[in-house]
Amino acid sequence: MIDNEKNRLTTSQAAVIVINFILGSGILTLPRTSVEKVHTPDVWITVILAGFFAMLAGVIIVKLSQRFPQTTFYQYSQEIVGKWLGIACGFLIIGYFIMTSALQVRYMAEVTSFYLLEGTPEWAIIMAFLWVSLYLVTGGMQPIARMFEIILPITVLFFLLVSLLSLKIFEIDYLRPVLGMGIQPVFAGLRTTALSYSGFEIMLILCAFMDTPSKATKAVLVGISIPLVFYLITVVMVVGAFSIDGVVTRTWPTIDLIRSFEMTGILFERFESLLLVLWIMQIFSTFCIAYYAASFGLSQLFGKKIRPFLYGLLPLLYLIAMTPKDLGQVFALGDMVGNASLILFGGLPLCLLIISRWRVKRIDATSSP
């Protein structure tokens, strides 16, 4: 049970946390990963469909959490499937959040050392990032939410500005024909694209922090809708600028899009540094909430205060982040974490929801005369 009133979240704060969690590395990698699978200009349809599937999965998670008010997944899973199996499920979720946070740190280090701080050792970039994050999360959920409320409007404003400026190199012909090769390629990229919406699973923990859990469905739907719009604009602009064949040859096509034009006579002539700063803030958001969710889970499973786990996880996150030897291994680790999320959050919550409903009906049936 969340007994600290200072950690309570409003519905809008819950939605903002979901948005910031989803908007991590996806903006930079989604155009390439989705186009590699779809390989037609219809990739924007895949982005929309994947968003709707994410909303469905998010609503299932919320409905499951609403059946157990004031408790998180780490607690109510033990009520549904028993103590030991519930603890095992809790550790699986914690492991996922640990891997997600470590992966975000490594993405940040790779891009920062390549575009912004060339020659700076990755360990130095990562260490600074981790200590700043620790300073934030030790304050609890409410400071995290307030920081996210500052980051999100800045991100939206500059993202829309940069997207409008990139219209000067946009070619509508690169998005034609629509469904020229049928609907099959659209579905081929659905799984890969759906991974970019990972982040709504935080509602497994977040519902317990909300002051009005009955509005959690609204929070998760808004929280997924805004990243859907972001992703749709990003994919359309990137494909419209480089074409399908041009996108698959680039590692970070969104950054290349911003680097491909400049505006003379205004404060900023080139915008990639600005975009990267915004993107690092989003990575910071994703990392902080995943890091906090993992630590919070350990504190609940062991019945201890959260602070020792916050400090204890930090060196583990550093070691995991530094384990991949090159960018190829980083992407492979990202695919592995994404596939795990499909199983954990696409199937597990639905199974638990069905079991919990079945158990209630069974109890009602045995207690009725």
Side-chain angles (χ1 to χ4, degrees):
M1 182 174 178
I2 312 301
D3 53 1
N4 188 351
E5 291 298 324
K6 292 182 179 179
N7 269 331
R8 289 289 177 199
L9 299 173
T10 64
T11 305
S12 61
Q13 284 180 320
V16 167
I17 290 175
V18 174
I19 294 168
N20 279 278
F21 197 173
I22 294 176
L23 291 176
S25 57
I27 287 181
L28 299 189
T29 58
L30 176 63
R32 177 180 52 79
T33 55
S34 57
V35 168
E36 280 178 347
K37 296 294 182 183
V38 179
H39 213 76
T40 72
D42 302 320
V43 64
W44 59 274
I45 303 176
T46 307
V47 171
I48 296 173
L49 288 178
F52 286 134
F53 279 112
M55 288 180 188
L56 178 62
V59 170
I60 290 172
I61 285 176
V62 167
K63 295 300 179 188
L64 173 64
S65 299
Q66 285 176 334
R67 294 180 66 82
F68 304 91
Q70 302 294 311
T71 57
T72 69
F73 176 85
Y74 306 117
Q75 297 167 314
Y76 64 66
S77 61
Q78 297 179 39
E79 294 184 33
I80 299 174
V81 293
K83 180 179 178 181
W84 296 111
L85 192 54
I87 290 175
C89 292
F91 276 114
L92 284 176
I93 301 297
I94 290 169
Y96 167 80
F97 282 129
I98 289 174
M99 295 302 294
T100 297
S101 50
L103 190 63
Q104 296 298 320
V105 172
R106 183 58 185 269
Y107 276 136
M108 181 277 303
E110 289 286 343
V111 176
T112 303
S113 61
F114 187 78
Y115 287 105
L116 290 178
L117 301 174
E118 187 177 358
T120 305
E122 287 188 347
W123 66 264
I125 299 172
I126 290 176
M127 291 293 283
F129 187 90
L130 291 180
W131 282 110
V132 173
S133 304
L134 176 65
Y135 177 74
L136 175 63
V137 298
T138 49
M141 187 62 85
Q142 185 58 227
I144 294 173
R146 290 180 182 177
M147 176 61 76
F148 287 10
E149 286 179 308
I150 297 172
I151 292 174
L152 185 61
I154 300 172
T155 303
V156 171
L157 179 65
F158 284 97
F159 176 78
L160 293 177
L161 173 64
V162 170
S163 298
L164 288 173
L165 291 175
S166 63
L167 281 172
K168 61 188 301 184
I169 59 171
F170 180 80
E171 294 287 345
I172 189 67
D173 289 339
Y174 287 149
L175 294 170
R176 296 171 178 164
V178 177
L179 295 177
M181 297 181 68
I183 196 68
Q184 186 63 29
V186 173
F187 289 111
L190 206 52
R191 186 183 69 84
T192 303
T193 308
L195 300 181
S196 297
Y197 288 95
S198 296
F200 58 83
E201 61 270 14
I202 195 61
M203 293 303 292
L204 288 170
I205 294 97
L206 222 56
C207 282
F209 286 88
M210 294 181 66
D211 52 8
T212 51
S214 59
K215 296 182 179 178
T217 303
K218 178 182 177 183
V220 76
L221 290 177
V222 173
I224 297 173
S225 298
I226 293 180
L228 192 158
V229 173
F230 268 62
Y231 287 158
L232 188 59
I233 293 174
T234 302
V235 167
V236 168
M237 297 308 296
V238 169
V239 173
F242 298 132
S243 79
I244 292 297
D245 295 331
V247 171
V248 295
T249 60
R250 301 166 191 272
T251 306
W252 309 104
T254 309
I255 297 178
D256 289 341
L257 170 68
I258 308 303
R259 286 164 60 92
S260 60
F261 67 89
E262 61 181 49
M263 302 294 290
T264 58
I266 59 176
L267 183 60
F268 297 100
E269 293 188 355
R270 299 184 66 86
F271 293 87
E272 66 267 25
S273 298
L274 191 61
L275 176 72
L276 286 172
V277 170
L278 296 174
W279 176 75
I280 289 171
M281 288 195 294
Q282 286 302 324
I283 287 286
F284 178 74
S285 304
T286 303
F287 171 80
C288 285
I289 193 63
Y291 174 32
Y292 185 82
S295 304
F296 189 75
L298 289 171
S299 73
Q300 287 201 320
L301 291 183
F302 288 102
K304 305 290 184 183
K305 291 184 179 297
I306 188 173
R307 189 159 293 216
F309 295 105
L310 288 172
Y311 284 97
L313 276 184
L314 215 58
L316 177 63
L317 293 174
Y318 173 79
L319 291 175
I320 296 173
M322 295 297 287
T323 298
K325 298 185 184 306
D326 53 40
L327 196 56
Q329 290 188 5
V330 175
F331 286 143
L333 180 63
D335 291 340
M336 187 179 73
V337 173
N339 291 331
S341 75
L342 284 181
I343 298 171
L344 287 176
F345 308 116
L348 183 60
L350 180 60
C351 293
L352 293 179
L353 181 61
I354 293 171
I355 292 171
S356 65
R357 286 182 177 273
W358 174 74
R359 291 188 66 176
V360 169
K361 288 181 180 178
R362 188 181 176 190
I363 291 172
D364 291 343
T366 53
S367 60
S368 60

